[in-house]
Amino acid sequence: MREIDVSVIKNKVKQMILDAEYKLPDDFVKALETAKAFEESETGKEILDTILENAKVAATEQVAYCQDTGYPVFFIEIGQDVHITGGNIRDAINEAVREATKEGYLRASLAYDPIFDRKNTGDNTPALIYFDIVPGDRIKIKFAAKGGGSENQSKQAMLKPADGIEGVKKFVLKSIANAGPNACPPFTVGVGIGGTFDYSAVLAKKALFRPIGHRHPDPRIAMLEEELLQLANQLGVGPLGFGGTTTAIDVKIEIAPVHIASLPVAVNIQCHAARHTELEI
């Protein structure tokens, strides 16, 4: 049994939040640079240049890449041979969010109540945390800052099994087209297929963590990812919706077993502020 004190978790999580808010992932930056070389629209190229310059300034000056510093979302795998000491891991993560928000001058973007007074919590807590127990004596933490613009454009549908792959493609592409400029393209698209109504959305969000260009191990799903990416970039939305051939940087799909009567499909869009990071303790 390996013991890990919550203070270690808190400090590391605080730093990973700040790192994610200040610096876009290297694979995404490289993908933007590649996209600029192939972008057919001059306006699109100028926008991509501006996005890349913004990323450089944010990383150099250690300031938030986007004013919408997002809803903090965590996926945490805890090894069954880990004993967490000194407190509660959920409390430690929320304290990390609280401290990062204050010390990093991050915008507080969460409201206590979704319908009536919508009073701001003031510190971006409570975070959304998904836990999973896995073999081993390590803790793996994935963090994403999910901005409202792209999250608002995400969709879920309960298709019929008879809709099949063509129904899935039609729904995904319609979701991308309808998102348009509102999701601040070029974006990455996470797609969850299978599971249940709620789990398909979790799968879509988890898919966004996969590195750009890393295809699903099932070659059939990998081919579908490639096809959807190609079709998405034929929609003409372009960088920030001003037209062009760079609407999506990547499309990533995760699947799960499904009820024989169901075909849940979820699309979780991530804007060009692709702020996510991960660590292992």
Side-chain angles (χ1 to χ4, degrees):
M1 183 67 68
R2 177 170 174 246
E3 293 189 349
I4 301 176
D5 193 88
V6 289
S7 64
V8 173
I9 298 171
K10 189 264 290 184
N11 291 333
K12 288 185 178 293
V13 168
K14 179 172 74 171
Q15 189 58 53
M16 79 184 297
I17 293 170
L18 294 174
D19 289 344
E21 294 284 4
Y22 298 160
K23 186 177 184 295
L24 293 186
D26 290 339
D27 63 330
F28 190 79
V29 172
K30 290 177 182 177
L32 286 173
E33 292 170 343
T34 300
K36 187 181 74 169
F38 290 95
E39 175 56 56
E40 297 178 3
S41 162
E42 289 303 316
T43 299
K45 287 183 178 181
E46 291 178 11
I47 292 170
L48 291 172
D49 268 331
T50 302
I51 290 172
L52 286 165
E53 179 63 21
N54 185 56
K56 181 179 179 181
V57 171
T60 301
E61 301 295 330
Q62 295 286 277
V63 294
Y65 175 83
C66 178
Q67 53 85 23
D68 183 351
T69 52
Y71 197 130
V73 179
F74 294 87
F75 288 94
I76 302 179
E77 296 181 355
I78 303 177
Q80 62 186 9
D81 296 323
V82 171
H83 179 212
I84 297 169
T85 62
N88 181 283
I89 186 173
R90 188 183 295 274
D91 293 340
I93 290 169
N94 279 314
E95 182 58 27
V97 172
R98 194 173 292 114
E99 291 182 11
T101 298
K102 181 179 179 180
E103 296 175 22
Y105 300 98
L106 308 181
R107 190 184 79 179
S109 301
L110 269 64
Y112 281 110
D113 179 89
I115 300 175
F116 299 104
D117 57 21
R118 292 185 69 86
K119 182 180 178 181
N120 200 297
T121 68
D123 57 14
N124 279 327
T125 66
L128 179 60
I129 309 172
Y130 295 95
F131 289 103
D132 193 15
I133 305 299
V134 298
D137 63 355
R138 313 290 288 179
I139 298 177
K140 294 181 181 179
I141 302 174
K142 295 182 178 180
F143 165 75
K146 289 294 294 173
S150 59
E151 193 74 357
N152 288 349
Q153 302 305 316
S154 298
K155 305 294 181 184
Q156 201 279 348
M158 299 300 292
L159 302 182
K160 301 183 294 294
D163 291 327
I165 191 170
E166 292 304 318
V168 170
K169 288 192 286 188
K170 182 178 179 180
F171 174 70
V172 172
L173 291 170
K174 182 179 179 180
S175 299
I176 294 172
N178 288 345
N182 295 320
C184 295
F187 36 64
T188 45
V189 183
V191 180
I193 306 174
T196 55
F197 165 77
D198 54 319
Y199 192 57
S200 63
V202 175
L203 287 172
K205 198 176 293 294
K206 290 179 73 173
L208 293 171
F209 284 94
R210 199 192 316 153
I212 301 297
H214 283 221
R215 292 287 156 245
H216 194 281
D218 185 327
R220 298 168 301 177
I221 301 299
M223 287 180 62
L224 181 58
E225 291 174 334
E226 293 281 3
E227 181 182 2
L228 287 170
L229 178 60
Q230 182 180 17
L231 292 172
N233 285 326
Q234 292 174 5
L235 293 172
V237 176
L240 294 185
F242 285 95
T245 51
T246 311
T247 298
I249 292 296
D250 205 359
V251 176
K252 295 174 276 193
I253 300 172
E254 293 296 330
I255 63 172
V258 67
H259 191 282
I260 58 173
S262 303
L263 181 54
V265 182
V267 176
N268 192 218
I269 293 176
Q270 175 59 59
C271 64
H272 68 75
R275 298 157 301 183
H276 63 83
T277 188
E278 52 191 90
L279 62 79
E280 184 176 283
I281 302 174

